[in-house]
Amino acid sequence: SKDLGRNSWSYFSSEMHQRRQSRYLIGAHLQQALQNNEMHLAYQPKLSLGTGEVVGVEALLRWQNPELGTVPPDQFVPLAEDSGQIHEIGDWVLETAIGQARRWELSGRCIPVAVNLSARQFQREGLVARIKQLLSKYSLDASLLCVELTETCFLHSAEETALALHELREHGVKVSIDDFGTGYSSLSYIRTMSLDQLKIDRSFVNNINEAQRDRQLVSAMIAMSQALGLSVVAEGVETREQLDMLRQLGCDEVQGYLICRPIPAEELDKVLPDLAGK
Ligand code: C2E
Ligand code: CA
Ligand code: CA
Ligand code: CA
């Protein structure tokens, strides 16, 4: 019967098939996403543990498609990297974030904005020139822009990345290493790269109160950052206990749902006054 047919179909349709199917669907819709205005940025504050002040925000990409619903960046960014669309999308992210930072600057609140860059973007020539161009187009002070990159950038395009980071820092842009400790690279890049900040990955912060080993690792990462003159941010802070422990360990800044979820700029403007001293 018809029913049996459908059941056996879903029985035999493997998870892999479904995954390929959804990759295909996402890829197809992704091509129109920017043109159709389906993307926006959400901003998540970084809080200083020393002063209790918001010292910056991270821009996180959001995609809302009429048919697919909300697609998380973990799902579509890797696809966009494979297809090459990451260049167009990444450029849109840079321009939107820089424009927003300028709007904040004009409204009398200087909020540094951090943008996530994909390794792919470092592999293509012209990234630094484009960032400089956007900063001057929006008359934004370069020190109000921070780029976050992961250790994979040093794996695939170490030389291009090193050069780009050097030029960006010469220009005044801040550089932050994201998901620190989760990559495959050695520590050797830290010896030679121009950096400002390390972000301790959420996976280390998760069990910081329960697992002594994780706590010791975080403590060592903080000590290393301080010895090298880098600021250190812990991401994914969800509980008061985690926050207290990070403060005790001497962490500079925290980011996470406990302080604030990533939210649109207009919403952030409303809650910003309440965040200080949290
Ligand atoms: P990421 O750069 O490590 O960003 C942190 C992720 O953790 C974000 O997920 C954020 O929403 C989430 N998060 C923040 N606080 C907490 C918390 O307290 N608990 C938990 N469980 N999660 C928290 P999101 O927005 O889904 O982004 C995932 C990843 O997608 C990012 O990881 C980044 O690698 C990538 N991504 C996001 N936006 C962009 C972008 O504009 N360009 C590129 N190339 N990648 C992006
Ligand atoms: Ca990040
Ligand atoms: Ca991260
Ligand atoms: Ca991550």
Side-chain angles (χ1 to χ4, degrees), residues 58 116 148 178-179 199-202 235:
E58 174 178 4
N116 292 284
E148 293 192 6
D178 207 354
D179 301 348
K199 294 188 80 172
I200 300 174
D201 189 65
R202 180 165 85 230
E235 61 176 28

Side-chain angles (χ1 to χ4, degrees), residues 46-49 55 146 148 169 174-178 180 190 195-200 221-234 250-254:
K46 296 181 181 178
L47 198 77
S48 158
L49 285 178
V55 286
C146 175
E148 293 192 6
R169 284 195 82 233
K174 299 275 186 282
V175 172
S176 177
I177 300 300
D178 207 354
F180 181 69
I190 287 196
L195 308 172
D196 296 281
Q197 183 176 75
L198 292 187
K199 294 188 80 172
I200 300 174
M221 289 189 246
I222 292 170
M224 190 188 78
S225 304
Q226 286 169 348
L228 294 169
L230 308 174
S231 78
V232 58
V233 187
C251 191
D252 297 319
E253 298 169 20
V254 288

Side-chain angles (χ1 to χ4, degrees), residues 27-251:
H29 284 97
L30 197 55
Q31 282 169 357
Q32 308 298 323
L34 279 181
Q35 286 86 328
N36 294 348
N37 244 327
E38 292 167 10
M39 296 212 174
H40 72 273
L41 294 181
Y43 297 88
Q44 187 181 40
K46 296 181 181 178
L47 198 77
S48 158
L49 285 178
T51 65
E53 303 275 331
V54 172
V55 286
V57 292
E58 174 178 4
L60 292 156
L61 190 53
R62 295 290 175 262
W63 178 25
Q64 184 84 42
N65 179 270
E67 275 170 61
L68 302 173
T70 305
V71 188
D74 281 337
Q75 271 181 41
F76 71 82
V77 167
L79 251 156
E81 288 174 339
D82 289 347
S83 70
Q85 284 161 296
I86 193 63
H87 296 291
E88 198 193 342
I89 295 172
D91 192 70
W92 179 87
V93 170
L94 273 167
E95 177 150 20
T96 306
I98 288 172
Q100 181 58 50
R102 177 59 176 165
R103 225 166 296 140
W104 276 320
E105 195 183 25
L106 285 175
S107 74
R109 252 173 328 181
C110 287
I111 311 176
V113 175
V115 170
N116 292 284
L117 293 182
S118 146
R120 280 288 142 98
Q121 291 174 274
F122 282 95
Q123 284 163 1
R124 184 185 260 193
E125 239 177 288
L127 174 69
V128 174
R130 178 60 176 157
I131 290 175
K132 287 180 182 174
Q133 186 190 38
L134 286 171
L135 287 170
S136 103
K137 177 177 174 186
Y138 290 89
S139 312
L140 186 76
D141 192 310
S143 66
L144 291 177
L145 178 69
C146 175
V147 295
E148 293 192 6
L149 65 159
T150 60
E151 293 164 317
T152 46
C153 293
F154 304 118
L155 197 68
H156 299 303
S157 42
E159 271 169 44
E160 293 96 318
T161 305
L163 189 65
L165 295 187
H166 183 74
E167 286 175 8
L168 285 172
R169 284 195 82 233
E170 291 266 283
H171 196 68
V173 174
K174 299 275 186 282
V175 172
S176 177
I177 300 300
D178 207 354
D179 301 348
F180 181 69
T182 62
Y184 293 101
S185 68
S186 69
L187 284 178
S188 67
Y189 68 88
I190 287 196
R191 291 163 51 211
T192 51
M193 296 278 170
S194 317
L195 308 172
D196 296 281
Q197 183 176 75
L198 292 187
K199 294 188 80 172
I200 300 174
D201 189 65
R202 180 165 85 230
S203 58
F204 294 104
V205 174
N206 259 344
N207 302 310
I208 196 174
N209 297 92
E210 297 78 26
Q212 192 189 21
R213 201 179 177 81
D214 289 5
R215 189 158 62 243
Q216 286 166 336
L217 274 170
V218 168
S219 177
M221 289 189 246
I222 292 170
M224 190 188 78
S225 304
Q226 286 169 348
L228 294 169
L230 308 174
S231 78
V232 58
V233 187
E235 61 176 28
V237 178
E238 293 181 351
T239 69
R240 171 60 60 181
E241 288 70 33
Q242 291 168 344
L243 185 97
D244 290 341
M245 180 56 71
L246 287 160
R247 195 193 300 274
Q248 208 177 306
L249 295 176
C251 191

